[in-house]
Amino acid sequence: MQQPNRLIPYYENLHFEQQDSSMIINFGPQHPSAHGQLRLILELDGEKIVKATPDVGYLHRGMEKMAENMIYNEFIPTTDRMDYIASSSNNHAFAMSVEKLLGIQVPRRAQIIRMMILELNRIISHLFWLATHALDVGAMSVMLYCFREREWGMDLMEDYCGARLTHSSIRIGGVPLDIPDGWLKALKNFIDKLPEEVKLLDGLLKENRIWRIRLEDVGVITPELAKSWSCSGVILRGSGIQWDLRKEQPYELYNEVEFEVPYSNRCDSYGRYLVYMEELKESARIIEQLIEMYPKTDSLIMAESPQYLSAPKEQIMTQNYSLMQHFVLVTQGMRPPKGEIYCATESPKGELGFLIHSQGDPYPYRLKIRTPSFFHTGLLQDLLPGHYLADAVTIIGNLNIIFGEIDR
């Protein structure tokens, strides 16, 4: 009897040379050190990795197609679920992309609030990375200290928007809320203490013999390899390339604040660790300047564009035309001009960008997302061979991959 045709997954066509000393294993997708739904097909010669094939897709999301069936404002809470360790960075990248499509300018106060949230998200994300990476390598005390600091940062996010993990804290055209009473003081206390906490973490790790043995000369990414895989963020800067979109293509008010772009010529996992630690200090430095800039702005936190954006709540509750306009925008959605744009931002993981193709409908005709973790996962097939199996755990953790932004 003839067997029915079936779709053969691509990994069934992978061919490995079978030798007596070799072994093929699956690392993940259930392995906790895979940091998500990553399946690595590894060919080992003893404990040395000979060949590595990343296999993604276990979340079954279809997020880009979901965006094409939602009005623009509806998609913002969905972006929270991409890099869920720094949700606001996703909200911001999408909102800024739509603003570029609409051609609207965000008020200055909203830009300052956005930048505070983004840098606070960067601190929260980097602390989470260090906690999980250190735990993978065996440093449990570091994980406890990092999570303590991260909780204080998440308390600030909760005080602002009411959520700790999936924030939905940024809107197309601005921000939904002004800063509550006492929030700036609490934020100032947090960033004043942060350098001392970073010094504590550095004291536990920087000269730690085991930490250095596990990270030094492990996962070396040369500048050529980094550029060939379109690496970005700390992965690129850890390979000696001083590239940060906040400096090279400034958005919001990043051209008005002073900060350095840390980088390392070491190109290994230890060099990337050093870059992460310096970035924590630079984010605190940016926030400190934003706190001083905030009182010098007016109270407007949303752009004024009646064709695309709802009026302030006070007008909706008191003016009939504003109420009618709000009803249409909520039920039918805005109708942006026809065109195609790409907008990139510097998320905690690297370059996060949205490509939107509009046909003038209330929802995108096509939407594509450029996420850093996707490229950094593909890099594993060139990066892992030649290392030992134990080094695979170090390298995966060091690359700071989040699978919520890969399986889209």
Side-chain angles (χ1 to χ4, degrees):
M1 181 177 178
Q2 187 176 3
Q3 293 293 326
N5 294 329
R6 69 185 183 90
L7 183 63
I8 301 175
Y10 77 92
Y11 50 77
E12 289 192 14
N13 292 322
L14 295 174
H15 297 288
F16 294 85
E17 294 183 5
Q18 299 295 320
Q19 298 177 357
D20 293 339
S21 61
S22 70
M23 177 172 57
I24 298 172
I25 67 168
N26 284 298
F27 185 95
Q30 279 76 40
H31 197 290
S33 292
H35 288 266
Q37 285 65 44
L38 167 65
R39 178 193 179 198
L40 269 178
I41 306 169
L42 300 177
E43 181 181 356
L44 304 178
D45 182 8
E47 288 196 20
K48 181 170 282 190
I49 300 170
V50 178
K51 185 177 181 181
T53 305
D55 181 22
V56 301
Y58 288 86
L59 285 179
H60 310 293
R61 283 193 153 186
M63 190 174 286
E64 292 172 340
K65 189 56 65 177
M66 289 168 61
E68 294 167 9
N69 289 276
M70 294 180 175
I71 62 175
Y72 287 91
N73 281 311
E74 275 184 315
F75 187 58
I76 288 179
T78 309
T79 61
D80 285 330
R81 278 76 183 168
M82 292 166 51
D83 177 8
Y84 39 79
I85 306 302
S87 301
S88 293
S89 62
N90 311 322
N91 303 156
H92 175 257
F94 176 69
M96 202 168 78
S97 301
V98 179
E99 289 157 8
K100 184 176 180 180
L101 179 66
L102 300 176
I104 60 177
Q105 179 64 37
V106 176
R108 185 175 178 83
R109 172 167 287 201
Q111 289 180 309
I112 292 173
I113 296 172
R114 282 181 170 190
M115 288 174 63
M116 288 180 184
I117 293 171
L118 290 174
E119 294 308 315
L120 183 58
N121 266 234
R122 194 179 307 276
I123 292 170
I124 291 171
S125 176
H126 285 7
L127 288 172
F128 184 86
W129 166 82
L130 185 59
T132 54
H133 184 33
L135 191 62
D136 284 343
V137 179
M140 179 171 283
S141 296
V142 175
M143 183 271 289
L144 297 173
Y145 284 121
C146 286
F147 266 83
R148 180 188 66 179
E149 293 303 309
R150 179 173 173 265
E151 285 296 311
W152 289 340
M154 292 172 72
D155 286 344
L156 287 166
M157 284 304 309
E158 185 177 19
D159 289 342
Y160 174 72
C161 66
R164 298 178 70 81
L165 191 67
T166 50
H167 303 143
S168 296
S169 60
I170 293 173
R171 297 289 184 272
I172 298 168
V175 290
L177 303 165
D178 205 344
I179 289 176
D181 293 339
W183 195 81
L184 283 182
K185 183 179 179 181
L187 180 63
K188 183 72 165 62
N189 290 337
F190 175 71
I191 63 167
D192 284 346
K193 295 176 182 176
L194 187 66
E196 282 300 314
E197 297 301 329
V198 173
K199 185 177 179 181
L200 169 65
L201 298 171
D202 245 354
L204 290 169
L205 291 176
K206 191 172 183 178
E207 300 301 329
N208 185 292
R209 183 167 172 263
I210 298 173
W211 181 253
R212 296 192 69 153
I213 290 172
R214 293 298 304 273
L215 268 66
E216 286 182 329
D217 299 322
V218 172
V220 174
I221 305 174
T222 63
E224 294 74 25
L225 183 62
K227 287 187 284 188
S228 70
W229 276 100
S230 298
C231 293
S232 57
V234 175
I235 309 303
L236 185 64
R237 295 189 285 274
S239 295
I241 301 173
Q242 197 174 10
W243 177 267
D244 189 313
L245 289 172
R246 296 172 297 172
K247 281 281 190 184
E248 304 300 329
Q249 301 171 15
Y251 50 89
E252 304 298 1
L253 302 177
Y254 278 108
N255 57 341
E256 296 186 22
V257 295
E258 295 182 3
F259 66 101
E260 302 297 326
V261 179
Y263 71 103
S264 171
N265 290 316
R266 295 182 59 99
C267 301
D268 60 1
S269 296
Y270 188 73
R272 292 188 286 274
Y273 154 73
L274 296 175
V275 174
Y276 271 110
M277 301 307 284
E278 288 302 313
E279 283 204 357
L280 285 168
K281 301 173 189 176
E282 292 301 321
S283 289
R285 182 183 172 192
I286 292 172
I287 291 174
E288 192 167 5
Q289 296 172 67
L290 293 171
I291 291 173
E292 295 177 0
M293 293 165 63
Y294 175 81
K296 302 172 185 177
T297 61
D298 57 29
S299 60
L300 196 62
I301 59 172
M302 284 290 290
E304 294 181 354
S305 181
Q307 184 180 358
Y308 303 121
L309 306 173
S310 294
K313 188 173 182 180
E314 293 78 9
Q315 294 183 26
I316 294 173
M317 301 298 290
T318 57
Q319 298 179 16
N320 189 41
Y321 176 77
S322 296
L323 177 61
M324 292 165 56
Q325 170 225 22
H326 174 69
F327 178 80
V328 171
L329 288 173
V330 169
T331 56
Q332 300 179 21
M334 67 179 79
R335 292 183 176 272
K338 294 182 180 181
E340 185 173 280
I341 60 95
Y342 174 75
C343 185
T345 61
E346 186 73 28
S347 82
K349 310 294 186 295
E351 182 181 336
L352 172 63
F354 284 80
L355 185 145
I356 301 175
H357 179 86
S358 169
Q359 292 284 5
D361 297 317
Y363 38 82
Y365 180 75
R366 284 289 180 269
L367 184 139
K368 298 294 179 183
I369 312 172
R370 193 270 186 213
T371 57
S373 294
F374 182 81
F375 297 91
H376 300 160
T377 303
L379 174 66
L380 290 171
Q381 61 188 278
D382 286 343
L383 192 58
L384 289 179
H387 289 88
Y388 289 97
L389 182 59
D391 294 331
V393 175
T394 300
I395 292 170
I396 294 170
N398 192 264
L399 291 181
N400 199 6
I401 297 167
I402 296 293
F403 281 84
E405 64 176 22
I406 294 176
D407 297 340
R408 57 187 183 279

